[in-house]
Amino acid sequence: YWDDTYSGSGCVTCDLSLLSGGLGQLTDGVVATQNWNIVEAPAGPGPYVGWLNIDPTITFHFGSSVAVDSVTVHLDDSGFGLVSAPTSVTIGASTYNVIDPSGTDPFAFTVSGLGFVGTDMVVTINRTNNWSFVSEITFQSPVPEAGTSAMLLAGLGVLAGLIRRRKRHA
């Protein structure tokens, strides 16, 4: 199932076409809440991107260096047409086993504590059956601890006071 909204180069309606340099369904903010066989049109356009008999490797290129603490992959688990949750997701050089929840509803799989800093993140979906379907992949940056923010503000306040004091005595 193709990413017919992809804005970069490559054939968006060709099987196994390499797509690069753009944005598409995996990062459009749309998380499917129903299984692929309910929301995908017969020709393929819909909220999912699907791969048959391959473990897709996706390189996300960020415009500048970013810090990423966690990655969430939104997956289909319908069982219909041999679509199932993957066995694992590989991010960079580390592989994380996917715990398949009971039932067949779409679900989110999150890997936290990555500590990634860089411009290119490589994600591989390691399939269980013939098909893997993904509706969205999201990236979360680390949130500074409240104490860190408070110390920064206090430091800026002290610095501002010193500058003001220096101007008065000059």
Side-chain angles (χ1 to χ4, degrees):
Y1 279 71
W2 312 309
D3 189 345
D4 60 335
T5 67
Y6 195 77
S7 64
S9 64
C11 180
V12 297
T13 57
C14 299
D15 292 345
L16 302 176
S17 178
L18 179 64
L19 304 177
S20 65
L23 298 172
Q25 290 175 330
L26 295 180
T27 58
D28 64 0
V30 176
V31 174
T33 58
Q34 294 179 303
N35 295 111
W36 77 272
N37 56 312
I38 296 169
V39 296
E40 290 286 331
Y48 285 100
V49 177
W51 297 271
L52 174 63
N53 294 328
I54 63 167
D55 295 337
T57 295
I58 309 152
T59 300
F60 292 92
H61 177 72
F62 304 102
S64 60
S65 185
V66 297
V68 176
D69 182 58
S70 64
V71 173
T72 301
V73 183
H74 297 270
L75 302 158
D76 186 284
D77 189 24
S78 68
F80 185 82
L82 294 177
V83 172
S84 61
T87 57
S88 60
V89 172
T90 302
I91 301 172
S94 298
T95 299
Y96 305 90
N97 291 328
V98 173
I99 295 161
D100 188 359
S102 62
T104 59
D105 291 334
F107 70 98
F109 173 72
T110 301
V111 176
S112 298
L114 293 173
F116 172 86
V117 176
T119 58
D120 295 297
M121 179 179 281
V122 178
V123 177
T124 300
I125 310 297
N126 304 302
R127 66 188 162 78
T128 301
N129 286 318
N130 294 35
W131 284 97
S132 291
F133 273 66
V134 177
S135 71
E136 190 76 7
I137 298 179
T138 58
F139 308 92
Q140 293 79 36
S141 296
V143 177
E145 295 180 23
T148 303
S149 297
M151 286 178 60
L152 175 63
L153 288 174
L156 290 174
V158 168
L159 185 60
L162 288 173
I163 291 171
R164 196 174 311 146
R165 184 176 182 187
R166 180 176 277 176
K167 283 183 180 180
R168 273 194 236 154
H169 292 103

